[in-house]
Amino acid sequence: MTNLGWRRGIVANPVLTIVVPCYNEEEVLPETVFQLSAILDSLIEDRRIADSSTMLLVDDGSKDATWSLIERFHASNTFVTGLKLAKNAGHQSALLAGLMRAKDYSDCVISIDADLQDDTNVIREFVNKFQEGYDIVYGVRQDRTADTFFKRATAQGFYKLMTSLGVKIHYNHADFRLMSRRTLENLEKFKEVNLFLRGMVPLLGFPSTKVYYDRKERFAGESKYPLRKMLAFAFDGITSFSVTPIRFVTLMGFLLFAMSVVAALYAIIGKIWGANVTGWTSLILSVWFIGGVQLLALGLIGEYIGKIYKEVKQRPLFVIEKDLTLHTEDRKKEAAVAHVSQASTVGRS
């Protein structure tokens, strides 16, 4: 069914699956399916990928007509398959669900968001890099001129902070990437509940490269990552991959201890020399300062304990309610037979 004769990850005509996590994307989904279908059709025509290549649309518990559209496209477009999650599991979990399902019948998998901000034309270059022997191809933005000043500044600050904390992450790369089957098989061994895929994938260590592209404006609909979610996602990434914040709290404790020793010496010397060390302002400010630092430290430690709590329960990251990939091969065979039959009928007439 698939070309799984690996030679450093090289497959002549790989079975490609494009995984697209979707959450309330009814406005943009028709255009997304149209553009990705055109890309797949072009690559198949040029014999760059296998005829059985598809796109896998993962509905992450959408509240609009996203799943109805996926079912409709599945019935009319042989490229389209779908997964419906039982409830909203979050972007990273929905993406992982699609990747893990697609690896069972694909040689390589490309992940892309449904909003069409990532350049779909770059997919062809992804496939070329895969056929050159790369197991992971990262889609990296050329620049962030399309972003607002605030978003650009916060994003750059996030990448710099992650790098300074020792997290291996690719600058200006989100979740637009190609991964080979063997990288996905190894990614499956990561049992983390707190998902941060753009930090997990570089840990695999397989041959990788980058493809640069210009990011577009969102085609339709609204962003599913408002400021609140962006900050939560960034904080999850930091605490999931680095213990530096905890070490920073320890360092802060030592500094405050040193400051208290200096303050104690100052008070003792003032007492000896008869200086008046009265006044409640400095006392209250110091109490508030120490109290604030203690609460901050307890909150940070609690965040790590909370993550441990989630990990030890080992609850599933997602629950699949419906799977349209099960009969994809049969549908493609039927379509091929129908095409051959139609061609022979036209020939006889």
Side-chain angles (χ1 to χ4, degrees):
M1 183 174 70
T2 59
N3 301 313
L4 300 180
W6 290 98
R7 180 170 57 84
R8 278 193 75 247
I10 301 174
V11 181
N13 291 98
V15 176
L16 169 66
T17 299
I18 303 175
V19 172
V20 187
C22 307
Y23 179 67
N24 294 342
E25 299 288 4
E26 64 176 355
E27 295 182 53
V28 72
L29 200 56
E31 182 65 22
T32 302
V33 170
F34 173 77
Q35 290 193 23
L36 293 180
S37 295
I39 292 293
L40 288 170
D41 194 48
S42 174
L43 289 170
I44 290 173
E45 185 178 347
D46 294 342
R47 299 186 181 278
R48 306 298 296 171
I49 60 175
D51 294 346
S52 55
S53 298
T54 58
M55 73 181 82
L56 174 56
L57 308 178
V58 183
D59 178 25
D60 185 23
S62 297
K63 298 177 182 178
D64 61 4
T66 295
W67 180 249
S68 298
L69 285 173
I70 292 173
E71 288 185 312
R72 190 188 311 168
F73 288 128
H74 176 67
S76 60
N77 186 332
T78 56
F79 287 130
V80 178
T81 62
L83 284 180
K84 178 176 174 56
L85 303 189
K87 67 180 184 67
N88 179 250
H91 177 272
Q92 296 289 280
S93 294
L95 178 55
L96 184 67
L99 293 176
M100 293 301 101
R101 183 67 188 94
K103 76 171 177 56
D104 294 334
Y105 56 86
S106 309
D107 294 311
C108 57
V109 178
I110 292 175
S111 56
I112 185 173
D113 289 337
D115 56 18
L116 294 177
Q117 288 188 276
D118 297 319
D119 189 358
T120 55
N121 294 315
V122 177
I123 290 175
R124 177 177 289 273
E125 196 167 348
F126 278 12
V127 174
N128 291 340
K129 294 296 183 182
F130 171 73
Q131 291 176 331
E132 289 175 13
Y134 293 102
D135 286 278
I136 305 172
V137 184
Y138 298 101
V140 179
R141 297 176 61 167
Q142 294 271 20
D143 53 55
R144 307 189 73 97
T145 53
D147 292 344
T148 63
F149 172 78
F150 177 76
K151 188 173 182 180
R152 181 166 60 251
T154 52
Q156 290 174 345
F158 168 71
Y159 285 112
K160 291 178 181 177
L161 177 61
M162 292 290 285
T163 302
S164 66
L165 293 176
V167 182
K168 187 177 181 181
I169 187 172
H170 293 282
Y171 188 71
N172 277 345
H173 165 71
D175 290 302
F176 186 30
R177 70 179 74 88
L178 176 145
M179 298 179 69
S180 67
R181 179 185 175 94
R182 66 173 178 173
T183 60
L184 291 171
E185 289 173 340
N186 282 275
L187 181 64
E188 190 176 21
K189 298 175 183 178
F190 288 62
K191 302 300 182 182
E192 287 145 87
V193 173
N194 301 284
L195 287 179
F196 187 65
L197 290 174
R198 67 186 71 175
M200 294 167 63
V201 173
L203 295 177
L204 296 171
F206 288 101
S208 63
T209 188
K210 299 177 183 178
V211 171
Y212 294 89
Y213 68 98
D214 293 319
R215 191 168 169 86
K216 306 174 184 177
E217 295 289 338
R218 184 179 176 87
F219 183 83
E222 298 178 353
S223 172
K224 304 307 183 295
Y225 264 94
L227 178 61
R228 177 180 58 83
K229 283 191 175 181
M230 287 175 61
L231 291 175
F233 181 66
F235 193 64
D236 279 343
I238 292 170
T239 54
S240 294
F241 278 84
S242 177
V243 295
T244 302
I246 288 287
R247 292 173 179 168
F248 178 74
V249 169
T250 304
L251 177 61
M252 188 183 299
F254 279 114
L255 291 176
L256 289 174
F257 174 74
M259 290 171 61
S260 67
V261 170
V262 173
L265 292 174
Y266 174 79
I268 292 171
I269 293 172
K271 183 69 174 177
I272 294 173
W273 288 92
N276 293 325
V277 195
T278 58
W280 62 274
T281 304
S282 58
L283 177 63
I284 291 299
L285 289 176
S286 63
V287 170
W288 284 357
F289 176 71
I290 297 298
V293 170
Q294 287 177 332
L295 289 175
L296 177 64
L298 286 173
L300 186 58
I301 294 170
E303 180 68 23
Y304 279 94
I305 293 174
K307 289 187 178 294
I308 295 170
Y309 174 66
K310 290 181 179 180
E311 294 288 348
V312 297
K313 286 190 294 186
Q314 296 185 335
R315 289 178 179 172
L317 293 171
F318 51 84
V319 177
I320 296 175
E321 181 180 342
K322 295 181 181 179
D323 186 350
L324 301 181
T325 67
L326 300 176
H327 307 294
T328 299
E329 289 295 322
D330 296 335
R331 289 172 64 245
K332 283 194 171 285
K333 289 178 182 178
E334 290 173 3
V337 171
H339 178 74
V340 172
S341 176
Q342 183 180 8
S344 61
T345 302
V346 172
R348 287 197 300 271
S349 61

